[in-house]
């Protein structure tokens, strides 16, 4: 029963996490809570199905012991890339003569299905936070799961 519920709930969790990530600059939500939900989906799959299933079926990594540490180093890389993106998104305005973390907005008009779409530079910061938190939490999960 738990496996069936997990198969239904994990996609809902992931869609909700992406929705929270994308609305974070206008409404409550953002990179942190979206990342926590994404990591929760991974934890749920890990607890219900096991690390071998998570590696082989979800992340498409072979499940022998030597690959396990490469998986954790991949999580660390995601953390580092997210941290770099968050810092870079704050420094770009400085190089353009504005204060650190100044937000800019771009309106994309005449889009099919959407009409107009607002893209804020805060999305880059939220993406950085998202990847940093997902990478950090999955690194912890991988290290604790190895014990």
């Amino acid at each position: 029963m738990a496996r069936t519920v997990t198969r239904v709930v994990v996609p809902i969790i992931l869609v909700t996490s992406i929705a929270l990530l994308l609305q974070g600059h206008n409404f409550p939500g953002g990179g942190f809570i979206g990342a926590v939900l994404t990591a929760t989906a991974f934890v749920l799959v890990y607890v219900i199905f096991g690390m071998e299933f998570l590696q082989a079926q979800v992340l498409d990594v072979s499940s022998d012991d030597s690959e396990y540490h490469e998986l954790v180093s991949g999580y660390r890389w995601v953390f580092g890339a997210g941290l770099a993106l968050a810092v870079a998104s704050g420094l770009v305005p400085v190089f353009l003569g504005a204060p650190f973390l100044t937000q800019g907005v771009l309106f994309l008009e005449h889009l099919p299905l959407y009409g107009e779409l607002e893209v804020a530079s805060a999305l880059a910061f939220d993406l950085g936070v998202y990847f940093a938190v997902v990478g950090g939490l999955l690194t912890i999960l991988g290290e604790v799961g190895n014990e």
Side-chain angles (χ1 to χ4, degrees):
M1 180 184 268
R3 289 182 178 217
T4 303
V5 170
T6 300
R7 289 179 199 264
V8 171
V9 170
V10 165
I12 295 169
I13 292 172
L14 292 174
V15 168
T16 303
S17 74
I18 298 300
L20 286 171
L21 168 68
L22 294 177
Q23 77 177 10
H25 61 280
N26 286 330
F27 301 108
F32 182 79
I33 192 63
V36 170
L37 280 176
T38 299
T40 301
F42 278 89
V43 168
L44 189 58
V45 170
Y46 170 67
V47 167
I48 299 299
F49 291 99
M51 183 60 80
E52 292 79 21
F53 179 85
L54 180 65
Q55 288 177 331
Q57 300 297 322
V58 177
L59 300 174
D60 197 29
V61 175
S62 63
S63 62
D64 57 337
D65 290 334
S66 64
E67 291 292 328
Y68 181 76
H69 294 288
E70 288 183 28
L71 185 63
V72 173
S73 69
Y75 297 153
R76 291 178 183 153
W77 185 88
V78 169
F79 170 78
L83 190 59
L85 179 60
V87 170
S89 71
L91 290 177
V92 166
V94 172
F95 292 123
L96 297 174
F100 184 70
L101 281 177
T102 299
Q103 178 174 315
V105 179
L106 174 67
F107 293 97
L108 303 174
E109 298 177 353
H110 310 295
L111 296 174
L113 298 175
Y114 288 103
E116 182 179 73
L117 183 65
E118 174 187 343
V119 180
S121 62
L123 180 61
F125 180 76
D126 280 340
L127 280 172
V129 170
Y130 178 85
F131 288 126
V133 172
V134 165
L137 290 176
L138 290 181
T139 299
I140 293 169
L141 170 68
E143 291 294 338
V144 170
N146 192 26
E147 296 299 321

